[in-house]
Amino acid sequence: MRLIPLLLLLFCTLAGADEARFDKLTAQQVYASLSQLVLVDVRSPEEFAEGHVPGAVNLPHDAVTDYLHLLQGQQQRHLVLYCRSGRRAGLAAAQLQQQGFQQISLLEGDMPGWQEQGFQVQK
């Protein structure tokens, strides 16, 4: 019985490990630099359709390699990834880093943080 809480703790720690490796930018920082960044929404296509940061590319976290063509020619640009809670963005960021993308940050607060700041959402 004591093994289950330990396994749960280990899983939660490992799940956030990818997210911790990347810098985070606030919604204000991202908004101020929108034209210089490539925004990547790693949520599902259904979540993306419900509303996303204007100009963001939808690259579902569970199919990153299938959607890499959407980032063709962007390897030298600064990517900012987000999802709903940060977990999927961290996983996708690690995959993109393995594919040669070096300038990767995560949106602090993810999509809820963007909306809480009152910034525009595109549908």
Side-chain angles (χ1 to χ4, degrees):
M1 286 298 179
R2 294 174 56 192
L3 182 60
I4 292 173
L6 288 174
L7 289 174
L8 184 59
L9 177 63
L10 178 63
F11 174 76
C12 290
T13 301
L14 291 175
D18 286 325
E19 183 182 352
R21 290 192 336 211
F22 299 96
D23 291 335
K24 291 191 176 188
L25 298 178
T26 66
Q28 294 87 357
Q29 290 171 311
V30 171
Y31 182 77
S33 303
L34 276 176
S35 64
Q36 301 162 2
L37 302 170
V38 177
L39 293 164
V40 182
D41 185 321
V42 301
R43 300 175 301 158
S44 70
E46 294 79 19
E47 290 172 295
F48 183 79
E50 290 173 5
H52 54 274
V53 175
V57 174
N58 187 213
L59 191 86
H61 86 284
D62 57 354
V64 168
T65 55
D66 295 339
Y67 285 79
L68 273 179
H69 66 278
L70 297 175
L71 296 176
Q72 186 173 356
Q74 305 295 329
Q75 287 85 350
Q76 303 305 314
R77 303 237 0 241
H78 189 160
L79 305 182
V80 178
L81 280 62
Y82 69 91
C83 59
R84 186 182 64 230
S85 68
R87 187 187 70 78
R88 293 178 284 179
L91 294 170
Q95 290 180 45
L96 288 169
Q97 191 174 53
Q98 290 174 351
Q99 296 294 323
F101 293 87
Q102 297 302 312
Q103 296 183 64
I104 302 173
S105 297
L106 303 177
L107 174 60
E108 186 175 271
D110 295 283
M111 191 63 192
W114 181 264
Q115 292 172 305
E116 287 170 9
Q117 293 300 314
F119 295 129
Q120 181 182 1
V121 173
Q122 185 176 354
K123 294 185 179 187

